[in-house]
Amino acid sequence: PAISRRREESPSTSRACSAPTPSSAPDGAALLLRAAPAGVPRLLLSPELWVFQAATIALARVSLEKPGAAVKPLVDVAAMPGGEKHVMFALIELGEAAKSASPVFERAFESRSASMRRLALRGLVAIGADKKTIKVMIERAASDKSKVVREYAKKVAGRAAR
């Protein structure tokens, strides 16, 4: 249908993720938000970064009534190059319904990027990961090489103590 035709018209034929173009992203995002919930998970496998990003947001939005339904498709594509951050933001929005996605955040804490490690810690707290996992991650973050991650660990530890 419309989505596949749009992809055929795309000048990009590489499997690498590309940035959205001003002419393609808004139309594609609008199409995804109107797509049936059952069709959105397959779009998470798109090689086009803008399609992937819009699909993660659309999946979270269409799953507001049944947030748990969005967790497995998001977890399945969390390791997609360039997609982990977007998946984590979507899982954070799902809150405790995404508790089973804890391994996504634990893997993300291994990232070389301090912002990804901080986001991973934020996500574990937001999804209500088990207390033992959060405690271990706070301890690791407290001795992180990044000041931003260490400071966030103090903040989270302070909230957890209350």
Side-chain angles (χ1 to χ4, degrees):
I3 292 174
S4 62
R5 277 196 306 273
R6 183 98 177 126
R7 191 163 176 206
E8 289 168 11
E9 295 168 6
S10 173
S12 172
T13 56
S14 71
R15 296 282 303 164
C17 294
S18 60
T21 61
S23 62
S24 65
D27 292 342
L31 283 171
L32 288 174
L33 291 175
R34 288 194 304 269
V40 174
R42 69 179 171 79
L43 297 173
L44 293 170
L45 301 174
S46 173
E48 295 291 334
L49 182 58
W50 70 268
V51 173
F52 172 80
Q53 291 170 342
T56 58
I57 293 165
L59 184 60
R61 289 183 65 184
V62 299
S63 299
L64 289 175
E65 290 181 23
K66 296 181 183 177
V71 175
K72 183 175 179 347
L74 289 168
V75 168
D76 289 346
V77 298
M80 186 177 190
E84 188 173 44
K85 177 172 72 170
H86 304 288
V87 167
M88 289 194 304
F89 278 123
L91 290 167
I92 287 168
E93 289 300 316
L94 294 174
E96 292 194 12
K99 189 172 188 169
S100 64
S102 180
V104 170
F105 296 98
E106 292 174 53
R107 277 192 310 272
F109 196 81
E110 303 303 322
S111 173
R112 293 186 328 180
S113 165
S115 63
M116 287 294 283
R117 293 191 305 276
R118 183 187 182 284
L119 182 60
L121 186 56
R122 174 184 164 200
L124 286 167
V125 172
I127 66 168
D130 65 87
K131 292 181 189 246
K132 182 181 177 186
T133 300
I134 292 175
K135 182 181 177 192
V136 168
M137 288 301 178
I138 289 173
E139 288 171 359
R140 288 183 61 197
S143 61
D144 196 270
K145 61 186 173 187
S146 167
K147 181 179 178 183
V148 173
V149 176
R150 291 191 308 269
E151 288 176 353
Y152 193 71
K154 286 181 191 174
K155 181 178 176 180
V156 171
R159 276 191 260 157
R162 287 185 227 160

